[in-house]
């Protein structure tokens, strides 16, 4: 039996704010984007390594305040990369959990929580 990967859809409200957070701060890049016409919401796919996320301005696609867990090999390297950027709105720390994982949790500007993790 084969199962595919899951691609989360996160709700965004401002593409410039999303670009600043996801592309400039987290280091994702835009794979593709779609609008039905000029005055329509944007839907896009972003990725970093094997991690793929869809971002949507569409009203019915997703709810803000979602949380996703993303396995990330070498969490310390990601932490170092983010801290060096000195992002004004987030100063994430790596924490060891009671369930033996290391986790780095960041809330995006739209109240979606991204939890990057690896085994401790």
């Amino acid at each position: 039996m084969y199962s595919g990967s899951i691609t989360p859809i996160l709700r965004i409200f401002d593409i410039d704010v999303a670009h600043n957070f996801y592309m400039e701060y987290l280091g994702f890049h835009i794979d593709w984007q779609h609008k039905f016409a000029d005055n329509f919401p944007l839907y896009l796919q972003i990725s970093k390594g094997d991690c793929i996320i869809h971002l949507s301005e569409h009203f019915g696609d997703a709810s803000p305040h979602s949380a996703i867990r993303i396995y990330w090999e070498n969490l310390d390297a990601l932490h170092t990369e983010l801290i060096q950027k000195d992002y004004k709105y987030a100063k994430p720390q790596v924490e060891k959990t009671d369930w033996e994982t290391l986790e780095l949790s960041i809330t995006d500007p739209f109240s979606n929580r991204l939890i990057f993790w690896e085994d401790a």
Side-chain angles (χ1 to χ4, degrees):
M1 176 193 228
Y2 172 79
S3 64
S5 61
I6 295 171
T7 305
I9 303 169
L10 299 177
R11 181 81 156 88
I12 60 172
F13 300 98
D14 183 309
I15 191 59
D16 292 331
V17 172
H19 189 277
N20 185 30
F21 180 78
Y22 283 98
M23 278 52 87
E24 293 179 27
Y25 176 55
L26 292 183
F28 281 77
H29 70 274
I30 298 173
D31 297 327
W32 52 262
Q33 50 190 358
H34 177 266
K35 275 188 176 188
F36 286 103
D38 286 340
N39 195 28
F40 277 77
L42 182 67
Y43 189 95
L44 64 154
Q45 177 175 297
I46 62 173
S47 64
K48 182 173 182 173
D50 292 334
C51 180
I52 295 172
I53 298 173
H54 285 191
L55 303 177
S56 178
E57 290 183 310
H58 289 264
F59 179 80
D61 276 349
S63 298
H65 308 285
S66 296
I68 59 174
R69 293 177 54 81
I70 304 166
Y71 176 78
W72 205 267
E73 193 172 286
N74 197 350
L75 199 57
D76 285 333
L78 176 62
H79 178 249
T80 299
E81 174 188 331
L82 296 179
I83 292 302
Q84 288 175 347
K85 291 183 179 177
D86 197 28
Y87 184 64
K88 181 177 182 177
Y89 302 105
K91 308 292 185 205
Q93 297 298 315
V94 176
E95 298 179 20
K96 185 175 181 183
T97 66
D98 292 339
W99 47 93
E100 299 298 319
T101 61
L102 298 174
E103 296 187 358
L104 186 149
S105 180
I106 305 170
T107 302
D108 80 1
F110 316 103
S111 297
N112 298 302
R113 189 164 36 111
L114 291 81
I115 304 159
F116 297 92
W117 70 277
E118 70 177 342
D119 290 322

